[in-house]
Amino acid sequence: MDQQMQDAIVSVAFDKAWRFVEKDPLLAHNRKTVLHSRLCTFLESSIKTGERDTLNLANEAIRNLRAELARSTEQ
């Protein structure tokens, strides 16, 4: 799959995930720039493993983001 197609899939998945992240009480209190950056990182990582479904990508990125932020607040 070419880079342009991957970028388009990540963009759609990001929009789906971001609509959830903005309203999630566990995530929304974090800085938007941090949330945005980490979400992009997780999406780009997941697409490299072969996932192409935007909903699956979005959900996986949200799970990873929540887990990462939960670990950082426990320390």
Side-chain angles (χ1 to χ4, degrees), residues 1 3 7-8 11 15 17-18 22 30 32 34 40 44-45 52 56 59-60 62 71:
M1 175 181 297
Q3 188 61 44
D7 291 346
S11 179
D15 289 342
W18 190 251
E22 289 187 299
N30 291 279
K32 283 190 177 190
V34 171
C40 285
E44 289 165 1
S45 176
R52 297 296 179 258
N56 288 343
N59 288 335
E60 181 71 17
I62 291 165
R71 284 190 302 273

Side-chain angles (χ1 to χ4, degrees), residues 24-75:
D24 186 300
L26 296 174
L27 298 174
H29 69 278
N30 291 279
R31 290 199 344 248
K32 283 190 177 190
T33 54
V34 171
L35 293 173
H36 193 282
S37 172
R38 298 306 296 147
L39 199 56
C40 285
T41 299
F42 289 132
L43 287 167
E44 289 165 1
S45 176
S46 290
I47 202 165
K48 287 177 184 167
T49 66
E51 181 61 66
R52 297 296 179 258
D53 183 273
T54 56
L55 186 58
N56 288 343
L57 284 164
N59 288 335
E60 181 71 17
I62 291 165
R63 278 192 295 275
N64 288 333
L65 186 60
R66 291 181 102 185
E68 180 180 87
L69 293 173
R71 284 190 302 273
S72 68
T73 58
E74 290 171 0
Q75 295 173 356

